Structures are given as structure tokens and as C-alpha cells.
């Protein structure tokens, strides 16, 4: 992935060369690479691509605990041809937290040769947590590559058992697995320095989650 | 049975409903049920999602004996429908029947011998009107329990004015090897616009129910609103196959739901080719431990058509599993939508679901939508969903054309390949007709 000309940030994780943009509507009318980071962000985010040769990435991590409620809605609207948009949202939900993801990729008839993806993956750690995932597509052009994926599950017992057999405590093992799950988002960024900063951010998140049953 | 010449004037009111019930000599409780459903119908509004229903006028329809309306004459059947009959190689007698010119098929003989076999095993396979009269106890135990009139506008309408449909009862442990074909059952009384189909498979039983046909069915009246209720008891198995090819003036708004008990298996196989607009989402309520639900669906939206189809899986017990495979093709100005729901209740620990929906867009003017909804309220479940939207690959087309096929043949072959995972689950004779039909559509000689 190329370096980003601009980093738009509804919610901030990284700091340098950041240009804040108002939440709600993001209007991309210049070619270039754009990046949006979300962290536990609730609300609606509309991305209108009104220029060709735009590459826009939206990466988000969510961690819910106790009675936290997150409601995210993302619209990827391709109005002009030859652009790319990619959404990747990963969430971990403990306690009685609730998460609702509503995504919509809309490709207008004249936005031929668009590429659009959305992926939402969730881990549920508690029987009281609730996740809703609605990744919608509305495609009016025919020369497009478009796809979405959504998965929701608990931690794999097999992987957990393996880690336990290698001497980790239950809490350590859970934490390692969740870290691995969320860090996919981090590694989407090419710059090493930024990655490290993001990983440190994740570490803080996991500390606050108070994982494990020790 | 009913007199074919009998037809009520257009319009819907309490009087019409009374007349329907009286003409069918129904018991009082059924009339009461109908009137109550009509009251519910009046209190509901058309859905503001899905297909465009603004041109659908409930008061401009005839609600009874509309199976074939007044008999049509052969000369008023649209040319393109006759052409399809010819290309599919359907015998003349069947052509006339499908077009609504004749009301009885010659296949009665084949059906009689099958029926004898079934009766010996205690299987009931009859039309719903007969079931109300002959098996009132059994009928009332299951009727309107899964899809009550309060469910949605079209279920309420169906409950108020229903006529026709099939009733199937498979006793404990009876496994029927041959598919039960509603096709053989068709006569005026049995195929309606507002049919109710009720299927009960007792413990350990097995059946395959098949309805519809690949040849276009011509209707003057433009609304088909059916209700299908299926009960699959412990360790039983049912497959319900529908191939729908209504003529292009019909709204097909159908509610289908199955209740699946312990270790039972329910499969919906659904092919939607015809109609002006379809809204149909077969559902499985997985209420017993280790129940399995499956939906395989293929839809083809040609110019002017909107196919809004999908599936619903509701996991309500431990270790239940489900799978949805949906394939859609849009061509011309056609629009196809997948709309689905996968829900895990708090009791669904150890359950898993898989959804895959693939769409093919053939022209610049065609449109494809995907509206999946997933709700999870327990851990220890696995839910996977994937969807792709694509066009036919130019490379593959060029390869086939270099081997001597013309462009439309090559396109037809690729489309056949695309839908083959669903096609191979449909009985051979239907699958091959469906395949031919899709190739006809691809050639552009139809519609």
C-alpha cells in the first residue's frame, strides 16, 4: 500500500501529518490515497467518491465491555469511475456490550471500473454481548469488482488449548489471540513507525479490557 | 368440487369473503378466520422496502376462481410465451394447460398410480380445500400456526381470500423416495393465486415436494400471494423445490416458513425466473437441537423484472446449523436483490451458519443489490458471510469463442456454469429445462 497523502481521522490513533475532517460526510474530489481510522466510533460516516483515481481505506477497531453500545454506519458511494474503496472493521465484545455495523457500498451506473470492498469481523467473548452486522451492496454498474465479507464467532477453543499447552495462562492466551485478531488492521499501514504507534495503542485497549478469568 | 365457470367480480370486501367461503362450503370457523384476517389486512400497509408495489391495486383484482380467470383463448396468449413453449418442446396439450386454455392435464393416469402407493403408506397428499373438509383435526392443529395473518400484509390477504394449494402429511417413519409433484395435482381447484400449502413430516419421515414448472405460466390476473407452512418433526427431512416462471405481469409475493425440530433437516431449493416482481424469503426456524436448515436459490432478472429474493435462518436451539447459497443474474434493465437474515438467539450455543451470495451483472443497465442482516446474541457460534458481484470474464468468453461458439452461446455456457451449484440440486428434468430456458434468455430471443 502506498503512503497516504492525507490522513482523515474521525477518531485519532496516530498523530503526525494528520488533517482532521468533520465527521459525517467525507467528500473526496481529488485523486490520491486517503485513510480513515476509527476507534470505537459511533455514528454515520458517508464517503462520497466524486473523483477518479481515489483510493480510500477505512480501518476500524472496536472493543466493547460492560454496557457499552456502538452503532456504526458507513456509506461508500462511488459516483465517479476508476476509484477504490476498502472498509475493514474488527471488533471484540465482552460483557453486555452491543455493536451494530451497517455498511453500504453504492456504485452508481457511471462509476464503471470501481473496486469496493467491505469486511466486518467480530469476536464475541460473552454470552450477553450482541452483534449485528448488515453489509449491504447496491451495484448499478457492470464493470466492477465488488465484494463483502462478515464473520462473527468466539475465540477458537483449539487455538486456545494450544497456547495453554505451551505454558501460557488463560488470560495471556486470550490476550494474545485478541491482539492477533485486531492487529490485522494495524498491519494495513505500510509505515513502520505508524505501525508501532498503533500497536502501542492496541496494547492500551487490551489493558482496559481486563481480559481473562484469573 | 368448485364450478369452473364461477368467478367473483373484481374488488375485495367482507361480502366477497363470505361468498368465497360459502361457495367452498367451508365450516364456520374458517369463515371467521377469513373475516378476522381481512380486518388485519385492512390495518396493514404495503412495505416501503423491496420491490415497487405502487402500481398494485388490491381493488382491481378478482379474488376467487381466478385460477384461470375466464378461460383464455389460444389466440390471446402472448407470442413470446408460445415461442418459449415451442423452444422447450412442450407437448401441445400441456402448452394449452399452462397457458390457461385447458384446465386438465393428461398426466392424471401417472399420478393415480403414484397416489395409490402413497395411500398404502398412510401419506396424505391432497389439495388444501379437501384437507379442510376431510381432515379437520389435523388441519387445524397446524394451520396458520407458523404464518399467522398478523405476520405481514400479504399473509393477511392470503388468509382472507385463500383457495387451493397442497396438503401433505407424512406419517412417522415413512420415507417417500419419489418427489411429490404438485405439477401432477394441478387442476382448476388446486392452483390458485392465493394458495396455502401445508406440509407436515412426522418423526423420522422423509419427503421431497416439488412445485411449479420451468415453462412460463400465463396469468391474466397479476397477483400471486401464497403462504407455505412446513413442519419438520424430530429426525425428519423435507426438501421443498420451487421453480417459478410466472408471466411478466405477475407480482409474486409469497411467505414461506418451516419449523425444524431436533436433528431434522429442511431444505428450500428455489428458482425464480419469471414474474414482474418477486418478494420471497423462505425461512427456517431451527427450534430443535442439531436441526439443519438450508436454502439454495437462483434467480434471473431480465429486462423490466425485479427479483427480490433471499432466505432467513433463525437459530433458536443448541448446535443448529444452516447454509444459504444464493446466485443471481441480472440482464438488460433487470434488477436482482438478495435479502437475508441470519439470527442467533441466546440459546443457540454451538451453532454455525454460512452464507454465500454471488451476483452476475450482464449489462451496463442491470443492477444487483445485496442486503444481508446478521444478528448474534450469544458466543460460541460461527457465522460466515460472503458476497461477490462480478461480470462475465472477457478472457473466458474469448476462449470459448476461439473454440467455435458464438458470443451468446459462450455467455449462456458461462451463466450455466455460474448457477450450476444450485442447478444440480434440482431434479434432472427440471434442471435441463431451466438450463435451456436460461440459454433462451441469453440469446435474447425471449422477452
Amino acid at each position: 500500500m502506498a503512503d497516504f497523502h492525507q490522513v482523515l481521522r474521525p477518531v485519532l490513533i496516530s498523530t503526525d501529518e494528520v488533517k482532521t475532517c468533520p465527521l459525517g460526510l467525507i467528500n473526496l474530489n481529488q485523486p490520491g490515497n486517503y485513510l480513515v481510522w476509527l476507534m470505537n466510533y459511533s455514528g454515520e460516516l458517508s464517503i462520497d467518491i466524486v473523483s477518479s483515481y481515489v483510493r480510500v481505506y477505512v480501518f476500524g477497531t472496536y472493543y466493547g465491555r460492560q454496557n457499552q453500545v456502538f452503532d456504526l454506519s458507513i456509506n461508500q458511494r462511488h459516483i465517479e469511475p476508476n476509484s477504490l474503496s476498502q472498509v475493514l472493521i474488527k471488533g471484540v465484545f465482552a460483557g453486555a456490550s452491543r455493536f451494530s455495523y451497517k455498511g453500504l457500498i453504492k456504485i452508481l451506473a457511471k462509476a464503471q471500473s470501481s473496486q469496493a470492498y467491505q469486511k466486518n469481523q467480530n469476536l464475541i467473548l460473552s454470552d450477553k454481548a450482541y452483534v449485528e452486522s448488515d453489509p449491504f451492496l447496491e451495484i448499478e454498474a457492470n464493470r466492477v469488482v465488488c465484494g463483502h465479507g462478515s464473520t462473527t464467532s468466539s475465540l477458537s477453543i483449539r487455538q486456545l488449548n494450544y497456547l495453554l499447552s505451551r505454558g501460557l495462562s488463560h488470560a495471556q492466551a486470550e490476550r494474545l489471540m485478541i491482539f492477533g485478531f485486531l492487529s490485522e488492521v494495524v498491519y494495513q499501514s505500510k509505515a513502520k513507525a505508524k505501525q508501532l504507534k498503533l500497536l502501542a495503542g492496541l496494547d492500551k485497549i487490551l489493558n482496559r479490557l481486563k481480559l481473562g478469568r484469573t | 368440487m368448485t364450478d369452473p365457470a364461477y368467478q367473483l367480480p373484481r374488488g375485495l370486501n367482507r361480502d366477497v369473503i363470505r361468498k368465497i367461503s360459502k361457495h367452498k362450503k367451508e365450516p364456520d370457523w374458517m369463515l371467521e378466520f377469513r373475516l378476522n384476517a381481512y380486518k388485519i389486512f385492512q390495518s396493514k400497509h404495503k412495505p416501503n422496502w423491496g420491490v415497487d408495489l405502487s402500481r398494485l391495486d388490491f381493488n382491481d383484482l378478482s379474488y376467487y376462481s381466478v385460477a384461470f380467470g375466464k378461460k383464455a383463448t389460444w389466440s390471446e396468449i402472448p407470442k413470446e410465451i408460445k415461442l418459449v413453449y415451442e423452444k422447450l418442446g412442450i407437448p401441445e396439450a400441456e402448452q394449452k394447460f399452462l397457458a390457461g386454455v385447458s384446465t386438465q392435464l393428461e398426466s392424471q393416469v401417472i399420478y393415480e398410480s403414484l397416489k395409490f402407493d402413497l395411500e398404502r403408506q398412510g401419506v396424505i397428499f391432497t389439495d388444501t380445500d379437501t384437507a379442510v373438509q376431510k381432515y379437520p383435526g389435523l388441519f387445524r392443529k397446524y394451520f396458520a400456526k407458523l404464518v399467522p395473518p398478523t405476520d405481514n400484509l400479504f399473509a393477511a390477504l392470503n388468509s382472507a381470500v385463500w383457495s387451493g394449494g397442497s396438503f401433505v402429511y407424512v406419517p412417522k417413519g415413512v420415507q417417500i423416495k419419489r418427489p411429490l409433484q404438485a405439477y401432477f395435482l394441478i387442476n382448476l381447484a388446486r392452483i390458485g393465486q392465493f394458495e396455502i400449502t401445508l406440509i407436515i413430516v412426522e418423526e423420522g419421515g422423509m419427503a421431497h415436494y416439488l412445485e411449479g414448472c420451468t415453462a412460463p405460466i400465463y396469468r391474466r390476473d397479476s397477483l400471486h400471494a401464497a403462504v407455505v407452512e412446513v413442519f419438520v418433526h424430530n429426525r425428519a427431512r423435507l426438501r421443498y423445490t420451487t421453480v417459478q416462471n410466472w408471466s411478466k405481469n405477475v407480482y409474486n409475493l409469497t411467505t414461506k416458513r418451516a419449523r425444524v425440530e431436533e436433528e431434522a433437516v429442511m431444505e428450500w431449493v428455489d428458482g425464480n425466473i419469471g414474474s414482474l416482481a418477486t418478494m420471497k424469503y423462505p425461512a427456517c426456524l431451527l427450534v430443535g437441537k442439531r436441526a439443519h436448515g438450508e436454502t439454495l436459490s437462483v434467480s434471473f432478472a431480465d429486462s423490466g423484472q425485479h427479483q427480490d429474493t433471499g432466505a432467513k435462518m433463525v437459530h433458536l436451539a443448541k448446535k443448529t446449523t444452516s447454509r444459504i447459497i444464493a446466485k443471481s443474474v441480472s440482464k438488460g434493465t433487470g434488477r436482482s436483490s438478495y435479502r437475508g437474515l441470519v439470527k442467533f438467539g441466546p440459546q443457540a450455543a454451538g451453532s454455525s451458519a454460512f452464507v454465500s451470495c454471488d451476483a452476475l451483472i450482464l449489462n451496463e443497465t442491470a443492477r444487483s443489490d445485496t442486503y444481508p442482516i446478521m444478528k448474534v446474541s450469544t458466543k460460541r457460534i460461527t457465522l460466515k458471510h460472503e458476497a461477490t458481484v462480478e461480470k462475465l470474464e472477457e478472457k473466458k468468453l474469448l476462449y470459448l469463442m476461439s473454440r467455435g461458439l458464438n458470443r451468446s452461446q459462450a455467455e449462456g455456457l458461462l451463466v450455466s456454469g455460474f448457477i450450476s451449484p444450485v442447478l444440480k440440486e434440482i431434479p434432472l428434468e427440471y434442471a435441463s429445462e431451466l438450463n435451456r430456458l436460461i440459454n433462451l434468455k441469453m440469446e435474447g430471443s425471449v422477452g
Side-chain angles (χ1 to χ4, degrees):
Chain A
M1 196 184 302
D3 277 336
F4 301 102
H5 297 159
Q6 266 180 302
V7 177
L8 309 161
R9 43 138 218 185
V11 173
L12 177 73
I13 302 182
S14 58
T15 42
D16 40 39
E17 99 260 22
V18 169
K19 198 171 135 192
T20 323
C21 74
L23 291 188
L25 183 73
I26 296 175
N27 201 342
L28 301 175
N29 51 16
Q30 293 289 325
N33 297 318
Y34 300 89
L35 173 65
V36 182
W37 280 104
L38 302 172
M39 227 179 76
N40 281 9
Y41 167 69
S42 276
E44 200 177 320
L45 184 66
S46 286
I47 297 164
D48 280 6
I49 301 173
V50 289
S51 160
S52 289
Y53 312 110
V54 165
R55 300 167 78 86
V56 56
Y57 302 86
V58 178
F59 300 127
T61 52
Y62 285 78
Y63 61 101
R65 60 203 166 107
Q66 290 159 4
N67 292 316
Q68 288 182 320
V69 179
F70 306 111
D71 208 328
L72 171 67
S73 156
I74 301 182
N75 292 324
Q76 299 159 256
R77 266 201 296 269
H78 284 252
I79 295 156
E80 291 293 328
N82 295 314
S83 283
L84 176 148
S85 70
Q86 187 186 343
V87 168
L88 172 65
I89 305 293
K90 298 200 126 194
V92 178
F93 303 95
S97 59
R98 298 172 75 83
F99 176 59
S100 154
Y101 169 79
K102 290 189 168 62
L104 172 67
I105 294 179
K106 177 135 191 144
I107 299 186
L108 299 190
K110 71 168 181 171
Q112 294 286 9
S113 303
S114 290
Q115 283 184 61
Y117 308 93
Q118 58 174 332
K119 190 153 103 179
N120 169 227
Q121 296 186 303
N122 305 304
L123 274 181
I124 298 196
L125 300 182
S126 143
D127 274 330
K128 292 194 195 86
Y130 172 83
V131 168
E132 173 165 354
S133 177
D134 308 343
F136 291 179
L137 305 175
E138 288 185 350
I139 317 293
E140 289 169 22
N142 69 323
R143 235 174 32 246
V144 300
V145 183
C146 200
H148 68 185
S150 171
T151 60
T152 300
S153 86
S154 53
L155 289 172
S156 154
I157 307 272
R158 255 177 73 181
Q159 292 173 7
L160 198 64
N161 282 342
Y162 172 76
L163 291 174
L164 293 176
S165 78
R166 307 295 290 183
L168 271 68
S169 75
H170 199 283
Q172 283 171 321
E174 265 194 353
R175 191 194 156 102
L176 191 63
M177 285 168 72
I178 292 167
F179 194 84
F181 172 77
L182 288 178
S183 59
E184 183 193 343
V185 174
V186 170
Y187 292 112
Q188 300 288 339
S189 168
K190 215 182 176 186
K192 260 270 144 18
K194 200 177 288 160
Q195 276 185 13
L196 289 174
K197 215 168 273 177
L198 293 171
L199 287 171
L202 266 184
D203 219 43
K204 243 182 263 166
I205 294 169
L206 294 181
N207 283 338
R208 264 186 280 166
L209 257 178
K210 295 200 181 74
L211 283 165
R213 281 162 268 170
T214 40
Chain B
M1 283 303 300
T2 46
D3 164 18
Y6 190 87
Q7 188 183 17
L8 286 171
R10 284 168 189 271
L12 180 62
N13 51 50
R14 289 171 70 88
D15 210 37
V16 164
I17 292 165
R18 279 207 187 85
K19 275 185 189 153
I20 295 174
S21 191
K22 191 172 168 217
H23 189 256
K24 300 207 305 176
K25 302 189 182 68
E26 285 177 349
D28 288 344
W29 68 267
M30 184 55 90
L31 176 61
E32 226 167 90
F33 173 82
R34 284 176 184 275
L35 290 173
N36 182 39
Y38 179 59
K39 210 187 280 170
I40 296 164
F41 168 74
Q42 283 175 310
S43 71
K44 286 192 182 288
H45 301 284
K46 284 182 192 173
N48 55 8
W49 47 273
V51 304
D52 177 17
L53 295 171
S54 56
R55 276 180 300 161
L56 179 63
D57 181 0
F58 291 114
N59 278 316
D60 194 34
L61 296 166
S62 174
Y63 285 89
Y64 187 52
S65 193
V66 279
F68 293 108
K70 271 187 300 178
K71 265 198 216 172
T73 60
W74 187 239
S75 57
E76 55 180 292
I77 306 303
K79 229 181 21 223
E80 61 269 20
I81 288 188
K82 286 186 191 166
L83 193 74
V84 177
Y85 288 155
E86 244 167 64
K87 293 228 174 179
L88 286 177
I90 293 168
E92 198 187 310
E94 265 184 59
Q95 288 185 19
K96 292 202 164 158
F97 171 77
L98 293 166
V101 176
S102 118
T103 54
Q104 193 74 42
L105 260 183
E106 308 296 322
S107 56
Q108 209 65 13
V109 191
I110 312 164
Y111 170 59
E112 288 302 327
S113 73
L114 178 68
K115 201 174 160 191
F116 178 73
D117 247 23
L118 293 173
E119 273 169 9
R120 226 182 30 197
Q121 299 180 79
V123 176
I124 302 170
F125 180 32
T126 178
D127 63 281
T128 314
D129 293 294
T130 309
V132 176
Q133 308 284 358
K134 251 175 107 177
Y135 313 99
L138 191 62
F139 185 81
R140 283 187 78 172
K141 187 177 165 195
Y142 292 101
F143 173 65
K145 294 292 186 289
L146 264 184
V147 186
T150 44
D151 194 79
N152 65 63
L153 178 80
F154 303 106
L157 179 67
N158 173 285
S159 299
V161 300
W162 76 270
S163 58
S166 311
F167 178 82
V168 180
Y169 177 81
V170 182
K172 197 171 165 179
V174 173
Q175 308 211 331
I176 307 170
K177 299 283 183 305
R178 263 183 289 185
L180 298 169
Q181 304 208 26
Y183 192 57
F184 284 129
L185 257 182
I186 315 175
N187 65 30
L188 188 57
R190 283 158 178 151
I191 187 159
Q193 286 171 276
F194 303 101
E195 73 255 35
I196 287 183
T197 294
L198 191 53
I199 299 179
I200 302 135
V201 187
E202 291 284 10
E203 204 175 321
M206 186 181 89
H208 180 184
Y209 178 83
L210 196 68
E211 69 169 5
C213 52
T214 42
I217 297 184
Y218 178 67
R219 285 285 176 282
R220 277 181 176 172
D221 294 283
S222 57
L223 174 61
H224 173 250
V227 165
V228 177
E229 294 174 287
V230 176
F231 296 84
V232 195
H233 287 283
N234 296 354
R235 286 173 290 285
R237 195 182 176 107
L238 181 79
R239 169 175 282 199
Y240 191 113
T241 302
T242 311
V243 178
Q244 172 269 113
N245 195 5
W246 298 99
S247 50
K248 267 196 204 171
N249 57 337
V250 174
Y251 287 93
N252 182 22
L253 310 163
T254 298
T255 311
K256 291 182 164 180
R257 200 164 296 161
R259 186 185 157 93
V260 193
E261 309 273 353
E262 261 185 55
E263 290 176 37
V265 177
M266 173 68 208
E267 297 165 304
W268 296 102
V269 181
D270 214 41
N272 295 293
I273 308 296
S275 87
L276 172 70
T278 296
M279 278 169 91
K280 182 164 67 171
Y281 323 101
C284 289
L285 309 181
L286 306 168
V287 298
K289 214 170 152 183
R290 281 193 283 275
H292 178 73
E294 189 147 339
T295 302
L296 302 169
S297 113
V298 50
S299 61
F300 194 110
D302 210 337
S303 284
Q305 291 181 296
H306 185 181
Q307 306 279 13
D308 199 294
T309 59
K312 292 182 189 175
M313 293 290 171
V314 184
H315 295 254
L316 297 170
K318 279 183 186 165
K319 298 186 180 174
T320 50
T321 51
S322 70
R323 190 167 77 121
I324 299 171
I325 310 280
K327 303 261 178 192
S328 73
V329 182
S330 357
K331 177 175 180 264
T333 60
R335 178 177 172 191
S336 59
S337 311
Y338 168 84
R339 198 180 294 275
L341 170 73
V342 178
K343 191 173 175 179
F344 290 90
Q347 321 86 332
S351 297
S352 70
F354 174 75
V355 183
S356 152
C357 35
D358 298 327
L360 200 55
I361 305 183
L362 297 177
N363 313 70
E364 277 170 34
T365 44
R367 172 173 175 177
S368 171
D369 313 306
T370 315
Y371 303 107
I373 293 178
M374 288 160 269
K375 299 182 181 197
V376 183
S377 40
T378 180
K379 69 167 184 173
R380 283 197 300 280
I381 59 101
T382 315
L383 167 57
K384 291 176 198 161
H385 171 100
E386 59 182 38
T388 58
V389 179
E390 58 186 13
K391 65 179 204 119
L392 290 179
E393 230 180 280
E394 205 63 31
K395 229 167 103 180
K396 291 178 188 164
L397 282 174
L398 282 177
Y399 172 75
L400 289 172
M401 281 155 75
S402 78
R403 309 294 290 181
L405 273 67
N406 66 32
R407 196 174 175 94
S408 69
Q409 284 170 329
E411 284 178 350
L413 195 62
L414 289 181
V415 171
S416 298
F418 174 75
I419 60 169
S420 70
V422 176
L423 218 55
K424 69 180 183 214
E425 299 294 331
I426 298 175
L428 184 68
E429 65 272 28
Y430 282 76
S432 71
E433 262 185 31
L434 201 64
N435 215 349
R436 257 183 293 168
L437 194 72
I438 281 170
N439 275 310
L440 277 181
K441 287 203 170 215
M442 295 304 299
E443 277 171 34
S445 59
V446 182

